[in-house]
Amino acid sequence: MSDEKTTTHFGYQQVPVHEKASRVRAVFDSVADRYDLMNDLMSLGIHRLWKRQAVELAGLRRGQRVLDLAAGTGDLCERFAGIVGADGQVVFTDINAAMLGRGRDRLTDSGLVGNLYYALANAETLPFVSDHFDCVTIAFGLRNVTHKQHALDEMFRVLRPGGRALILEFSQPVAAPLRRVYDLYSFTVLPALGKFIVKDADSYRYLAESIRMHPDQETLRAMMEQSGFERCDFFNLSGGIVAIHRGYKL
């Protein structure tokens, strides 16, 4: 029998808690070079619409400070930097050095400098002062965190009073027929794409499994409330395949 205090899930596997972060890191080391291409192929480009909706819900204004966790190749940061302007601050973080480097190179090549800062950081132990950011976001990253509640606690801590957190993440389709189609797609098409594009079917099999192990919409909202967030709500996109959760520090 596995000990919940010493093991956690990595997809459908149970692994020692101290190993999960390194296993997740290995997944993203493997896919970093083709990450953007795979996102477009897997979602048929719809991930761009999901991220656009998250940016709109963030409600950012010029001069505000934003922290983006698990920022990947910087899709959200790129948009945030333009909104908050030269007087604002966007902090791009990722636990994976390969993803952080790729994102930094991409944004630098795009000419985005000045209000963008980069940090290699674990969402569970953020190296930032309390009550600092107007908005904290994490897109398609929370499901990979070992202790999700710790990450939510940290997001709450670094937000200033009046600030808000947004979590864009794969979730649970609301209709049974959609769930069946989605399962078929996830466990057959995704690994096949991974094998063909990045020569790595296992990483995309993990992706499908990690989505199923992630808390559903109502459970994640309750977890946010446990961390202290108020006025928590969520917005289902694409029938619940993806959801955006939002909560405020009041």
Side-chain angles (χ1 to χ4, degrees):
M1 182 179 297
S2 62
D3 182 351
E4 292 183 356
K5 294 182 180 179
T6 60
T7 64
T8 188
H9 62 83
F10 177 75
Y12 288 162
Q13 301 178 54
Q14 283 291 314
V15 301
V17 166
H18 68 273
E19 287 186 7
K20 179 168 181 177
S22 63
R23 286 175 177 249
V24 170
R25 189 175 297 116
V27 166
F28 286 93
D29 283 343
S30 174
V31 304
D33 288 344
R34 299 289 183 91
Y35 182 78
D36 290 326
L37 173 61
M38 281 297 295
N39 281 348
D40 282 332
L41 291 174
M42 288 188 302
S43 70
L44 303 178
I46 299 173
H47 75 100
R48 299 176 184 274
L49 300 178
W50 297 334
K51 290 170 182 173
R52 183 181 303 168
Q53 183 68 24
V55 171
E56 291 177 1
L57 287 171
L60 292 170
R61 300 188 302 276
R62 187 172 183 86
Q64 292 193 320
R65 295 188 290 259
V66 190
L67 172 64
D68 189 25
L69 305 173
T73 55
D75 288 355
L76 292 184
C77 289
E78 185 173 15
R79 292 170 173 81
F80 293 155
I83 295 171
V84 303
D87 298 331
Q89 179 188 73
V90 178
V91 180
F92 179 130
T93 76
D94 204 291
I95 194 174
N96 182 274
M99 294 299 298
L100 182 71
R102 185 163 183 81
R104 181 178 56 212
D105 291 345
R106 190 178 78 81
L107 296 188
T108 301
D109 290 345
S110 298
L112 289 174
V113 295
N115 65 350
L116 265 169
Y117 304 85
Y118 300 88
L120 191 67
N122 186 332
E124 297 181 30
T125 54
L126 295 175
F128 306 111
V129 297
S130 301
D131 304 323
H132 179 74
F133 293 99
D134 297 286
C135 184
V136 179
T137 60
I138 183 168
F140 304 114
L142 186 61
R143 72 180 185 280
N144 297 312
V145 174
T146 304
H147 301 102
K148 296 175 178 61
Q149 197 70 58
H150 293 179
L152 294 172
D153 291 346
E154 281 289 270
M155 292 169 72
F156 185 82
R157 178 184 66 80
V158 301
L159 276 173
R160 67 167 183 80
R164 60 273 185 209
L166 271 89
I167 301 167
L168 171 61
E169 188 54 270
F170 292 109
S171 199
Q172 302 301 319
V174 295
L178 179 58
R179 284 197 294 271
R180 288 192 289 270
V181 172
Y182 185 48
D183 283 346
L184 180 64
Y185 174 80
S186 298
F187 290 103
T188 57
V189 177
L190 290 191
L193 277 175
K195 182 177 181 179
F196 180 71
I197 301 297
V198 298
K199 314 303 181 188
D200 183 356
D202 289 343
S203 290
Y204 287 91
R205 191 171 294 107
Y206 160 75
L207 168 65
E209 293 175 358
S210 69
I211 293 169
R212 273 60 181 187
M213 299 301 292
H214 187 67
D216 64 18
Q217 290 90 323
E218 290 292 350
T219 302
L220 182 54
R221 174 161 62 181
M223 292 172 67
M224 293 180 71
E225 291 171 345
Q226 182 178 330
S227 289
F229 289 103
E230 299 184 46
R231 291 169 51 196
C232 296
D233 53 4
F234 63 83
F235 307 84
N236 283 323
L237 307 179
S238 301
I241 289 174
V242 163
I244 301 174
H245 282 71
R246 182 175 58 183
Y248 295 84
K249 181 176 180 176
L250 302 179

